């Protein structure tokens, strides 16, 4: 996975839509929190065992939320010039 390439793609995507003005670390952090909450909501009332054996429809929802979380993390790192690979 090429993090820098993904950051550049996301940056271009945001620039083309004039979203850069909204993509501040504060706003991106708040959006990230919302996406994490949406992931938590999927598992909220499941038992430990149920959470390990989710159906295909639910896994698709999980994939969507994980992708959204990843995108916001990449955008925050880009805005703050954080090298994710170095930070790990």
């Amino acid at each position: 996975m090429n993090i820098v390439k993904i950051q550049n793609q996301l940056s271009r995507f945001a620039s083309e839509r004039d979203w850069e003005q909204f993509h501040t670390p504060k706003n991106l952090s708040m959006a990230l929190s919302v996406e994490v909450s949406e992931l938590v909501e999927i598992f909220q009332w499941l038992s430990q065992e149920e959470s390990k054996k989710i159906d295909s429809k639910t896994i698709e929802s999980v994939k969507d939320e994980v992708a959204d979380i990843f995108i916001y993390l990449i955008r925050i790192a880009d805005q703050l010039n954080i090298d994710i690979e170095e930070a790990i």
Side-chain angles (χ1 to χ4, degrees):
M1 179 180 305
N2 186 331
I3 300 293
V4 173
K5 180 180 176 185
I6 295 168
Q7 279 180 318
N8 291 337
Q9 289 172 328
L10 291 172
S11 182
R12 272 194 310 278
F13 185 85
S15 287
E16 290 168 358
R17 289 155 181 77
D18 197 27
W19 290 351
E20 291 290 336
Q21 61 184 316
F22 306 112
H23 284 195
T24 63
K26 174 192 158 288
N27 288 350
L28 292 167
S29 295
M30 291 186 335
L32 173 63
S33 173
V34 171
E35 296 302 333
V36 170
S37 294
E38 290 175 2
L39 178 62
V40 169
E41 184 179 29
I42 293 169
F43 294 103
Q44 183 174 7
W45 301 113
L46 300 180
S47 69
Q48 296 294 334
E49 277 308 306
E50 289 170 329
S51 72
K52 296 177 186 177
K53 300 175 184 173
I54 54 178
D55 60 40
S56 59
K57 180 181 176 190
T58 304
I59 196 69
E60 289 304 314
S61 296
V62 170
K63 285 180 186 179
D64 289 343
E65 299 311 329
V66 167
D68 290 344
I69 290 164
F70 180 73
I71 288 168
Y72 282 117
L73 284 173
I74 294 288
R75 291 294 294 147
I76 292 167
D78 189 32
Q79 291 298 312
L80 295 174
N81 296 313
I82 295 171
D83 181 332
I84 292 176
E85 291 180 28
E86 183 181 291
I88 293 177

